[in-house]
Amino acid sequence: MERCLIERWKIHHVTQNGGLYKRPFNEAFEETPMLVAVLTYVGYGVLTLFGYLRDFLRHLRIEKCHRATEREEQKDFVSLYQDFENFYTRNLYMRIRDNWNRPICSVPGARVDIMERQSHDYNWSFKYTGNIIKGVINMGSYNYLGFARNTGACQEAAARVLEQYGVGVCSTRQEIGNLDKHEELEKLVASFLGVEAAMTYGMGFATNSMNIPALVGKGCLILSDELNHASLVLGARLSGATIRIFKHNNMQSLEKLLKDAIVYGQPRTRRPWKKILILVEGIYSMEGSIVRLPEVIALKKKYKAYLYLDEAHSIGALGPTGRGVVDYFGLDPEDVDVMMGTFTKSFGASGGYIGGKKELIDYLRTHSHSAVYATSLSPPVVEQIVTSMKCIMGQDGTTLGKECIQQLAENTRYFRRRLKEMGFIIYGNEDSPVVPLMLYMPAKIGAFGREMLKRNIGVVVVGFPATPIIESRARFCLSAAHTREILDTALKEIDEVGDLLQLKYSRHRLVPLLDRPFDETTYEETED
């Protein structure tokens, strides 16, 4: 923790002395207490032992087996189901499966309605009771600016377009699925990002996984942050390029890989790499951290590499005008070669985009699988994006967009500060609306989710393999739709559950200043 505090001081010092940063950049990743780490490993060990015992009882048919297995007549064939690979799913995930895939039956706003369900076979199957849990505080949806709603300008505009265009386009953009609405949206996105051109896609995940292979291939090098999203990882692997991983947000690690790439070139042949592409995210959705973009851009320029920035979580949620992490740091959009983002979060819609120079977009229109083979965005969804984006830009004649951006920033600072004061270990940047609260022990993953739902609060809990095995967590997502009353209610219940489950692990608890007003102000993958 001492090292963490020194690092935070260094960053703050740089920002105050005219370095690369124009504003304070404070991130905290408090070290896991040794006793908690040991008990977490012991907990997983006990679960593993009981898992093997239950598997033995299932083999003897003492306990009923619900898992997928081959039929008796197929036993001599090569195994279709890898038994050991499903061990974790069978014996741990299933015991706490009720914390995920909860069906909601309302708009994913500040509050949601959840369909009640029960299981009588340890979560292998569920039955719906017919009851609806009303008014659950939603602390899990990516509704950063509060545009996921069924009333207001966005809903009315989408309804009008639905009446005129219908729901589906039934074709790709290159055939007869290119509507005037799509053209309007792409011009608006380019204007919003401050780039020459933009292209939109029907799915955010595919925007990464299908476009990266169009940009790089064999003979190219990808330098990827170790905590990049699965869509970036899949896109990198599908490209056939060599992949090297740098430590999360660690510029020394990235620079070393860049130096080695320039000095040594490709393995065996020592030829120069055709391209070097750096893959980073704006906000990392499991850590709540913000990319050190000024430093990444400085390194990219120094070593003549290309930069691919995924702004799925940061677009709309960061920056004084909601234009993402580039806006947040006050940088030039032209310094980012490929700007990617999604409409699924801050805009309350679906799909994704790529922005950059016109030559880049023209190339992707004919080489991207998402552009050539995928069905076009649904017209009502396009209108939802257009209306919400115009609101953020102030083109609707109101200040609602600006107010939502300010409200999200205020909620983020307030919620993070209060959790730290309570004694929880909170990861990430102080300006990130993604707030991970560390749970650590496997038994507390399910317990926290269930206890919060009992108190009418819906949360997302995450464990291995989505996180390191000893770093299970609850992940809160703040929204401009959250009022101070809603946040205070959630914080009160989180405080109570934290005491009940003994989750207040922090050894550096903040002291609340009640008399002061709140200030708003490595591994390698290669085919060689």
mmCIF file of all heavy atoms in Angstrom, residues 3 17 70-71 73 83-84 107 124 147 163 183-184 211 291 316 359 369 430 463 520 528:
data_model
loop_
_atom_site.group_PDB
_atom_site.id
_atom_site.type_symbol
_atom_site.label_atom_id
_atom_site.label_comp_id
_atom_site.label_asym_id
_atom_site.label_seq_id
_atom_site.Cartn_x
_atom_site.Cartn_y
_atom_site.Cartn_z
ATOM 1 N N ARG A 3 3.740 1.575 -1.432
ATOM 2 C CA ARG A 3 4.168 1.797 -2.811
ATOM 3 C C ARG A 3 3.057 2.448 -3.618
ATOM 4 O O ARG A 3 3.297 3.311 -4.455
ATOM 5 C CB ARG A 3 4.565 0.458 -3.433
ATOM 6 C CG ARG A 3 5.202 0.580 -4.807
ATOM 7 C CD ARG A 3 5.711 -0.765 -5.270
ATOM 8 N NE ARG A 3 4.622 -1.715 -5.363
ATOM 9 C CZ ARG A 3 4.780 -3.021 -5.455
ATOM 10 N NH1 ARG A 3 5.985 -3.555 -5.422
ATOM 11 N NH2 ARG A 3 3.744 -3.826 -5.557
ATOM 12 N N ASN A 17 2.809 20.075 -12.148
ATOM 13 C CA ASN A 17 4.018 20.750 -12.605
ATOM 14 C C ASN A 17 4.151 20.748 -14.116
ATOM 15 O O ASN A 17 5.243 20.634 -14.661
ATOM 16 C CB ASN A 17 5.248 20.086 -11.954
ATOM 17 C CG ASN A 17 5.367 20.441 -10.492
ATOM 18 O OD1 ASN A 17 5.893 21.480 -10.133
ATOM 19 N ND2 ASN A 17 4.851 19.580 -9.629
ATOM 20 N N GLU A 70 -22.325 -37.588 -21.957
ATOM 21 C CA GLU A 70 -22.627 -38.399 -23.129
ATOM 22 C C GLU A 70 -23.567 -39.539 -22.748
ATOM 23 O O GLU A 70 -23.603 -39.988 -21.604
ATOM 24 C CB GLU A 70 -21.338 -38.985 -23.722
ATOM 25 C CG GLU A 70 -20.402 -37.964 -24.328
ATOM 26 C CD GLU A 70 -19.424 -37.400 -23.307
ATOM 27 O OE1 GLU A 70 -19.571 -37.704 -22.112
ATOM 28 O OE2 GLU A 70 -18.549 -36.626 -23.708
ATOM 29 N N ARG A 71 -24.309 -39.986 -23.733
ATOM 30 C CA ARG A 71 -25.146 -41.162 -23.513
ATOM 31 C C ARG A 71 -24.261 -42.402 -23.401
ATOM 32 O O ARG A 71 -23.121 -42.407 -23.852
ATOM 33 C CB ARG A 71 -26.134 -41.314 -24.666
ATOM 34 C CG ARG A 71 -27.201 -40.211 -24.708
ATOM 35 C CD ARG A 71 -28.092 -40.344 -25.917
ATOM 36 N NE ARG A 71 -27.330 -40.171 -27.164
ATOM 37 C CZ ARG A 71 -27.886 -40.218 -28.364
ATOM 38 N NH1 ARG A 71 -29.183 -40.460 -28.494
ATOM 39 N NH2 ARG A 71 -27.149 -40.039 -29.444
ATOM 40 N N GLU A 73 -24.211 -45.200 -25.008
ATOM 41 C CA GLU A 73 -23.717 -45.744 -26.271
ATOM 42 C C GLU A 73 -22.611 -44.894 -26.892
ATOM 43 O O GLU A 73 -22.004 -45.286 -27.896
ATOM 44 C CB GLU A 73 -24.866 -45.912 -27.275
ATOM 45 C CG GLU A 73 -25.642 -44.655 -27.577
ATOM 46 C CD GLU A 73 -26.877 -44.498 -26.700
ATOM 47 O OE1 GLU A 73 -26.832 -44.949 -25.524
ATOM 48 O OE2 GLU A 73 -27.863 -43.928 -27.170
ATOM 49 N N ASP A 83 -14.842 -32.981 -18.859
ATOM 50 C CA ASP A 83 -15.338 -33.041 -17.490
ATOM 51 C C ASP A 83 -14.582 -32.098 -16.559
ATOM 52 O O ASP A 83 -15.178 -31.347 -15.803
ATOM 53 C CB ASP A 83 -15.237 -34.483 -16.976
ATOM 54 C CG ASP A 83 -15.915 -34.663 -15.633
ATOM 55 O OD1 ASP A 83 -17.130 -34.461 -15.565
ATOM 56 O OD2 ASP A 83 -15.219 -34.987 -14.660
ATOM 57 N N PHE A 84 -13.245 -32.099 -16.625
ATOM 58 C CA PHE A 84 -12.469 -31.280 -15.702
ATOM 59 C C PHE A 84 -12.703 -29.791 -15.952
ATOM 60 O O PHE A 84 -12.725 -28.987 -15.025
ATOM 61 C CB PHE A 84 -10.983 -31.605 -15.825
ATOM 62 C CG PHE A 84 -10.128 -30.833 -14.863
ATOM 63 C CD1 PHE A 84 -10.071 -31.188 -13.524
ATOM 64 C CD2 PHE A 84 -9.411 -29.723 -15.283
ATOM 65 C CE1 PHE A 84 -9.299 -30.467 -12.631
ATOM 66 C CE2 PHE A 84 -8.637 -28.993 -14.394
ATOM 67 C CZ PHE A 84 -8.578 -29.370 -13.062
ATOM 68 N N VAL A 107 -37.829 -0.873 -17.827
ATOM 69 C CA VAL A 107 -36.716 -0.093 -18.374
ATOM 70 C C VAL A 107 -35.545 -0.148 -17.389
ATOM 71 O O VAL A 107 -35.747 -0.016 -16.182
ATOM 72 C CB VAL A 107 -37.158 1.373 -18.598
ATOM 73 C CG1 VAL A 107 -35.974 2.241 -18.991
ATOM 74 C CG2 VAL A 107 -38.237 1.441 -19.655
ATOM 75 N N TRP A 124 -29.657 -25.477 -10.563
ATOM 76 C CA TRP A 124 -29.538 -26.090 -11.883
ATOM 77 C C TRP A 124 -30.697 -25.663 -12.768
ATOM 78 O O TRP A 124 -30.578 -25.612 -13.990
ATOM 79 C CB TRP A 124 -29.480 -27.618 -11.766
ATOM 80 C CG TRP A 124 -28.164 -28.094 -11.249
ATOM 81 C CD1 TRP A 124 -27.827 -28.346 -9.954
ATOM 82 C CD2 TRP A 124 -26.981 -28.352 -12.016
ATOM 83 N NE1 TRP A 124 -26.519 -28.746 -9.852
ATOM 84 C CE2 TRP A 124 -25.978 -28.769 -11.114
ATOM 85 C CE3 TRP A 124 -26.667 -28.279 -13.370
ATOM 86 C CZ2 TRP A 124 -24.689 -29.104 -11.530
ATOM 87 C CZ3 TRP A 124 -25.380 -28.625 -13.784
ATOM 88 C CH2 TRP A 124 -24.413 -29.028 -12.870
ATOM 89 N N PHE A 147 -30.113 7.774 -20.309
ATOM 90 C CA PHE A 147 -30.943 7.802 -21.513
ATOM 91 C C PHE A 147 -31.744 6.512 -21.725
ATOM 92 O O PHE A 147 -32.543 6.437 -22.664
ATOM 93 C CB PHE A 147 -30.083 8.079 -22.753
ATOM 94 C CG PHE A 147 -29.650 9.513 -22.867
ATOM 95 C CD1 PHE A 147 -28.312 9.874 -22.757
ATOM 96 C CD2 PHE A 147 -30.582 10.520 -23.074
ATOM 97 C CE1 PHE A 147 -27.914 11.194 -22.867
ATOM 98 C CE2 PHE A 147 -30.203 11.851 -23.169
ATOM 99 C CZ PHE A 147 -28.855 12.190 -23.064
ATOM 100 N N GLU A 163 -42.591 3.943 -36.566
ATOM 101 C CA GLU A 163 -43.817 3.995 -37.370
ATOM 102 C C GLU A 163 -43.498 4.196 -38.855
ATOM 103 O O GLU A 163 -44.172 3.640 -39.722
ATOM 104 C CB GLU A 163 -44.701 5.137 -36.860
ATOM 105 C CG GLU A 163 -46.090 5.152 -37.477
ATOM 106 C CD GLU A 163 -46.982 6.204 -36.844
ATOM 107 O OE1 GLU A 163 -46.682 6.646 -35.714
ATOM 108 O OE2 GLU A 163 -47.977 6.584 -37.483
ATOM 109 N N GLU A 183 -26.690 7.300 -42.597
ATOM 110 C CA GLU A 183 -25.800 8.367 -43.070
ATOM 111 C C GLU A 183 -25.801 9.539 -42.091
ATOM 112 O O GLU A 183 -24.748 10.114 -41.767
ATOM 113 C CB GLU A 183 -26.248 8.841 -44.462
ATOM 114 C CG GLU A 183 -26.232 7.769 -45.541
ATOM 115 C CD GLU A 183 -24.846 7.496 -46.073
ATOM 116 O OE1 GLU A 183 -23.923 8.254 -45.730
ATOM 117 O OE2 GLU A 183 -24.682 6.525 -46.833
ATOM 118 N N GLU A 184 -26.981 9.899 -41.614
ATOM 119 C CA GLU A 184 -27.102 10.999 -40.648
ATOM 120 C C GLU A 184 -26.332 10.681 -39.374
ATOM 121 O O GLU A 184 -25.616 11.539 -38.826
ATOM 122 C CB GLU A 184 -28.576 11.249 -40.323
ATOM 123 C CG GLU A 184 -28.809 12.341 -39.292
ATOM 124 C CD GLU A 184 -30.263 12.415 -38.809
ATOM 125 O OE1 GLU A 184 -31.125 11.699 -39.377
ATOM 126 O OE2 GLU A 184 -30.526 13.195 -37.873
ATOM 127 N N ASN A 211 -13.131 -5.865 -36.721
ATOM 128 C CA ASN A 211 -12.388 -4.779 -37.365
ATOM 129 C C ASN A 211 -10.887 -4.865 -37.142
ATOM 130 O O ASN A 211 -10.113 -4.463 -38.017
ATOM 131 C CB ASN A 211 -12.904 -3.420 -36.885
ATOM 132 C CG ASN A 211 -14.179 -3.009 -37.585
ATOM 133 O OD1 ASN A 211 -14.194 -2.802 -38.796
ATOM 134 N ND2 ASN A 211 -15.267 -2.901 -36.839
ATOM 135 N N VAL A 291 -7.335 4.821 -18.714
ATOM 136 C CA VAL A 291 -6.065 4.680 -19.422
ATOM 137 C C VAL A 291 -5.226 5.954 -19.271
ATOM 138 O O VAL A 291 -5.749 7.066 -19.262
ATOM 139 C CB VAL A 291 -6.317 4.374 -20.924
ATOM 140 C CG1 VAL A 291 -7.012 5.534 -21.622
ATOM 141 C CG2 VAL A 291 -5.012 4.036 -21.636
ATOM 142 N N GLY A 316 -19.186 9.499 -23.521
ATOM 143 C CA GLY A 316 -20.375 10.003 -22.837
ATOM 144 C C GLY A 316 -20.208 10.125 -21.340
ATOM 145 O O GLY A 316 -20.805 10.999 -20.708
ATOM 146 N N GLU A 359 -9.637 7.981 -44.988
ATOM 147 C CA GLU A 359 -9.018 6.829 -45.653
ATOM 148 C C GLU A 359 -9.239 5.545 -44.856
ATOM 149 O O GLU A 359 -9.477 4.477 -45.431
ATOM 150 C CB GLU A 359 -7.515 7.063 -45.837
ATOM 151 C CG GLU A 359 -7.154 8.187 -46.811
ATOM 152 C CD GLU A 359 -7.083 9.551 -46.132
ATOM 153 O OE1 GLU A 359 -7.564 9.675 -44.983
ATOM 154 O OE2 GLU A 359 -6.568 10.492 -46.759
ATOM 155 N N HIS A 369 -15.588 -7.353 -41.904
ATOM 156 C CA HIS A 369 -16.660 -8.345 -41.966
ATOM 157 C C HIS A 369 -17.962 -7.800 -41.384
ATOM 158 O O HIS A 369 -19.050 -8.144 -41.836
ATOM 159 C CB HIS A 369 -16.256 -9.618 -41.215
ATOM 160 C CG HIS A 369 -15.249 -10.448 -41.949
ATOM 161 N ND1 HIS A 369 -13.948 -10.567 -41.542
ATOM 162 C CD2 HIS A 369 -15.360 -11.179 -43.087
ATOM 163 C CE1 HIS A 369 -13.294 -11.347 -42.387
ATOM 164 N NE2 HIS A 369 -14.122 -11.732 -43.328
ATOM 165 N N GLU A 430 -10.678 8.006 -9.411
ATOM 166 C CA GLU A 430 -11.703 8.736 -8.666
ATOM 167 C C GLU A 430 -12.787 9.325 -9.575
ATOM 168 O O GLU A 430 -13.870 9.665 -9.102
ATOM 169 C CB GLU A 430 -11.058 9.847 -7.842
ATOM 170 C CG GLU A 430 -10.357 10.906 -8.667
ATOM 171 C CD GLU A 430 -9.693 11.980 -7.820
ATOM 172 O OE1 GLU A 430 -9.547 11.782 -6.604
ATOM 173 O OE2 GLU A 430 -9.329 13.029 -8.392
ATOM 174 N N GLY A 463 -16.589 -12.887 -10.177
ATOM 175 C CA GLY A 463 -15.530 -13.729 -9.622
ATOM 176 C C GLY A 463 -14.709 -14.380 -10.715
ATOM 177 O O GLY A 463 -14.861 -14.084 -11.902
ATOM 178 N N GLU A 520 -17.021 19.321 -5.979
ATOM 179 C CA GLU A 520 -17.309 18.571 -7.200
ATOM 180 C C GLU A 520 -16.103 18.513 -8.139
ATOM 181 O O GLU A 520 -16.216 18.020 -9.249
ATOM 182 C CB GLU A 520 -18.508 19.193 -7.938
ATOM 183 C CG GLU A 520 -19.768 19.251 -7.110
ATOM 184 C CD GLU A 520 -20.218 17.896 -6.624
ATOM 185 O OE1 GLU A 520 -19.678 16.884 -7.085
ATOM 186 O OE2 GLU A 520 -21.088 17.846 -5.750
ATOM 187 N N ASP A 528 4.398 -17.882 -35.011
ATOM 188 C CA ASP A 528 5.748 -18.204 -35.502
ATOM 189 C C ASP A 528 6.330 -19.361 -34.711
ATOM 190 O O ASP A 528 6.078 -19.480 -33.533
ATOM 191 C CB ASP A 528 6.652 -16.975 -35.382
ATOM 192 C CG ASP A 528 6.197 -15.883 -36.336
ATOM 193 O OD1 ASP A 528 5.869 -16.219 -37.478
ATOM 194 O OD2 ASP A 528 6.178 -14.712 -35.927
#
